[in-house]
Each structure stands twice: as C-alpha cells, then as structure tokens.
Amino acid sequence: MLTRSRSAHRRKERDRTNAVLHALLQLGAGAHKTSEIAGRTGMDEDEVRRRLLQLVRAKMCYRPSFGYWELHPAPAIAPADSAVVSPTTTPLLDAAVLLQALHRHTQQAVLLHTHSPITGERLCIGAAGLHTPDLRRQLASTPKAAARLRQAPLDSDAPGLVMLANLAAQDAPLREDLRQIRSAQVALTKAPLPGWSLSSVAVRRLPGAPAIPGAEPRVVAAVSILAPDHAHGNPLVAYGRLMHNAVQAAIETSVIVAHPHPAGPEAA
C-alpha cells in the first residue's frame, strides 16, 4: 500500500511539472513571465517557480533574466537523422525519452511517425538509434529509400498500416489485413530500406501530451522498430509486444490531464 501511495505521489509530481513544461510550449518561443506561465496551469506562482527550477536543472529551460523563463532551443537534427526525420514544430515531450529507452532496450533503430489526414501520408518526426555505421551507410547509399522512410502514403508499410487499422471506427468494415493488424495491435512489413523490416504499434497520445477528461483518444502516431531482416520472425513480434507495453506505460506515467481554464485578463 505504501509503495502504491509513493508511486501515485511521484506520478502527480511529474504530471504537474509536465503541465508547466506544456504551458511553456504553448506560449512559444521567447521569454515568459512566471505569472504568464502560472495562468496556464492553475497553480500558484510559487509552485510554478519551483517546477520551473526543476526544468532548469533538467536543461529544458533557462532564465534569461530575473522572473523570466525560456525554453532551450531544439537541438538541430544530426545529418544522419535528417535523411529520415522531417523537421517539425510538434513538441515530442516524453516521446523522445520513450524512443531512446526502446533503442537502449532493443539496440535497434526506433522511429516515430505521425499522419496527415489531408495528404493521407505518414511522416517521421522523431527517431533514436540511426547512428550505427551499417545503418548510416545504407541510408546514405539509398536516398530514395531513406526518403520513403521519412514520408510515404499510409498504406505503404507497417507505420501507416497500424495507424490506418486503428483510425477507423470500431464498427467500420476493414480490409482483412487491417482487421488482423487491429486484432494483433502490431504491424510487420518490409521497410523501404532494402534488407530491413518494420514492426509498428499505434500511439493514441504522445507521452506527456494533455488528456481531456472523458474524451476518447484517437490515434496520433506510430512507434516502429527498424531492424535488419536477419531479426525477422519472433524477434519482430516480440518487439511489437515490447513497444505496445512501453507506449502504454509511458502514457500512463506522464499524462497531463488538461482542464479548461476560464479566460481572464492577461497577467501583468
């Protein structure tokens, strides 16, 4: 019981710190007063200041001057990643931590794709583990394949297919392949990169993103492991289970519950 109580307390503390980080992200580039940030969180300024200091220690923001706080600029995409990862304004929040954790656990490259309902394409917005010499050589030698890893129609391969299977309403008729993917909650296909495969699971909310009470989350992304074909079969299935469990755990431990705040006069 004591362990459960401590776990609930740690989760509450993390959620409230994440809420302050999310407020800074909403305010955008530039320096912001403590009162501006507090106005978006529902917390008093003393608590917000304490949590901002936690973010400073974590090197996520800094104080350009007394009473003002600013996010650190996003790091530039490494050349090895730029062939696959598209620049985005979408804040990855704890999703970046999730990708790195999955890479450390599997020693394989991990990709995060989102989707566009307008173009019907999937787009890679985050990755971990693209730095291995073999993978870097292959990406450099097959630029067209790297470009399709970055962006392609939803029905091209596992990341898009797992999103398609879960975007449809529960009672909507599905193609047999999509029905099987929805049932298994994992999609396995060849990757655009010759000699590599993809194992993908759907993500209904980016870890650390706000949740609206009572709202049914829709699929917003897919997490995929990009593995060489010699890892085919059971390892790829196991990767799917691992990703599904890791995504659920990351969402549950970092979710921020968003409550509407009444409009008020702008903080001085």
Side-chain angles (χ1 to χ4, degrees), residues 17-39:
T17 301
N18 275 343
V20 173
L21 173 59
H22 188 72
L24 261 178
L25 288 164
Q26 286 181 317
L27 287 165
H32 304 286
K33 292 181 179 179
T34 307
S35 57
E36 290 181 285
I37 302 165

Side-chain angles (χ1 to χ4, degrees), residues 118-131:
I118 298 173
T119 65
E121 291 182 315
R122 55 139 181 84
L123 185 68
C124 183
I125 61 170
L130 297 180
H131 58 275

Side-chain angles (χ1 to χ4, degrees), residues 4-62:
R4 184 179 299 177
S5 175
R6 286 175 178 170
S7 177
H9 175 72
R10 285 195 298 268
R11 177 176 174 176
K12 180 181 178 182
E13 285 291 295
R14 183 177 180 182
D15 287 353
R16 291 178 77 80
T17 301
N18 275 343
V20 173
L21 173 59
H22 188 72
L24 261 178
L25 288 164
Q26 286 181 317
L27 287 165
H32 304 286
K33 292 181 179 179
T34 307
S35 57
E36 290 181 285
I37 302 165
R40 288 177 175 264
T41 65
M43 305 177 208
D44 62 53
E45 290 188 28
D46 286 341
E47 180 178 2
V48 167
R49 190 176 296 107
R50 177 167 62 86
R51 297 187 185 280
L52 284 164
L53 288 171
Q54 292 175 359
L55 295 174
V56 169
R57 288 192 291 272
K59 302 187 184 304
M60 300 188 77
C61 74
Y62 66 101

